[in-house]
Each structure stands twice: as C-alpha cells, then as structure tokens.
C-alpha cells in the first residue's frame, strides 16, 4: 500500500503519472529530476492515467527523510570482514544502478578472501543493522565496533539485492585474526 504524501493525494498503485506540476513526464528519470526541485509544503498538480482515464490529483510535498538527503559521499572499510561500504549519493546510485527510493549503504567492494563465508554481493544494499535503519557507512561501523566491545558474535543485516530483500548474518570476530 502507498504511504505518505502519495497516499494522502489519492494515488493508487499502478497509476501512470503523465504530468507533474504542469510539465509532461516523458521518462522516470525526468520525473525524479522534477521531484527533487519541489519544496516541502508545496502543492503540486499531478495528472495520472488510471484504467485508461485521466485523473487530476494534488500532491502536498512532505519533507525529505534523512536517508534521502545524502549529497556528500562517505565510505567505511571493515578490513576483518573484507567489506567496503558507501553512502547512497546520486553518483553512487547511478554507478551501481540502484533504484530510486532505496535507502541504506551500498557494498562497493568485497575481499573474497575475508568475505568467503558471507552471502553478500557487490552492489547490494544494507538497509538495516539489528533492525535499525542505516544510511551512512559510519552507522554500520559504529554498530560493528559496539558489537565487538560487547562481545556479540554477529549483526543481523536486512539486505536489498537483485532478488529482493533477505536477512544475512555478519559475524563479528572477537580477535583480529579470527575468521
């Protein structure tokens, strides 16, 4: 089910947006570009095609959540596990072909020698760690270090990959040499 401003405006799943704020929508990329220009609280006229008929809606723009406001790149390397993570800036999204709307941190590199027991892949997104949303690599690092200090053996990850969502376990070695 749709949530937030789209639900309040009366959008239904399957609606095809044909005009946004008075401009014809030719591609999804163009729609995303237009959405980025609107301000919180602004009322936007939208025309959708629903079951072959045009329907006019008014979308009241909400505020961007923190995980969608990322402009500055940041990276974290977890050498023991062979993982390098990056924030989802527009440039990183484009490079990895990540769908608009996905939030989390992307796995940019995997050292196969140190990550052979992980079911993670380059380009996948870690959405949650221990059921807490993450959008900055530093958040994952902080939870990893906290787990080491508290002698926790693993972290539970919610991962978005090519086949959808799944849970994965990230083991936390208790010594520098442990695998």
């Amino acid at each position: 089910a749709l949530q937030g401003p789209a639900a309040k405006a009366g959008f239904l799943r399957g609606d095809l947006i044909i005009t946004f704020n008075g401009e014809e929508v030719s591609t999804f990329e163009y729609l995303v570009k237009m959405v980025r220009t609107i301000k919180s609280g602004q009322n936007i006229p939208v025309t959708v095609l629903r079951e072959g008929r045009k329907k006019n809606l008014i979308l009241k723009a909400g505020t961007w959540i923190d995980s969608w406001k990322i402009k500055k790149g940041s990276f974290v390397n977890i050498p023991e596990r062979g993982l390098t993570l990056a924030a989802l800036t527009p440039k990183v999204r484009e490079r990895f072909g990540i769908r608009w709307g996905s939030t989390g941190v992307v796995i940019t590199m995997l050292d196969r020698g140190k990550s052979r027991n992980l079911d993670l892949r380059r380009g996948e997104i870690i959405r949650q760690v221990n059921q807490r949303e993450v959008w900055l690599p530093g958040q994952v690092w902080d939870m990893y270090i906290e787990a080491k200090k508290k002698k926790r053996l693993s972290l539970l990850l919610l991962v978005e990959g090519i086949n959808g969502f799944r849970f994965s376990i990230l083991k936390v070695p208790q010594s520098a040499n442990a695998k």
Side-chain angles (χ1 to χ4, degrees), residues 105-170:
V105 296
V106 68
I107 299 167
T108 57
M109 293 194 319
L110 275 172
D111 176 336
R112 280 289 154 212
K114 294 179 181 176
S115 65
R116 65 179 176 268
N117 295 327
L118 298 177
D119 68 339
L120 302 173
R121 309 256 179 293
R122 187 173 182 267
E124 290 186 319
I125 302 161
I126 298 173
R127 304 266 313 231
Q128 294 179 354
V129 177
N130 288 348
Q131 297 184 312
R132 287 174 33 209
E133 298 288 328
V134 294
W135 58 92
L136 298 173
Q139 294 168 315
V140 179
W141 175 254
D142 290 347
M143 286 188 246
Y144 184 82
I145 294 303
E146 182 183 341
K148 279 187 85 76
K149 285 180 184 172
K150 293 184 176 179
K151 300 197 183 307
R152 294 195 179 123
L153 300 178
S154 63
L155 296 171
L156 177 66
L157 309 179
L158 176 61
V159 179
E160 181 180 346
I162 196 160
N163 295 320
F165 296 91
R166 71 177 189 286
F167 286 104
S168 182
I169 299 293
L170 178 63

Side-chain angles (χ1 to χ4, degrees), residues 67-88:
S67 56
W68 286 359
K69 293 181 192 175
I70 297 172
K71 296 210 173 21
K72 184 180 176 195
S74 62
F75 297 85
V76 156
N77 180 268
I78 304 175
E80 295 174 308
R81 302 308 294 143
L83 277 174
T84 303
L85 309 171
L88 286 177

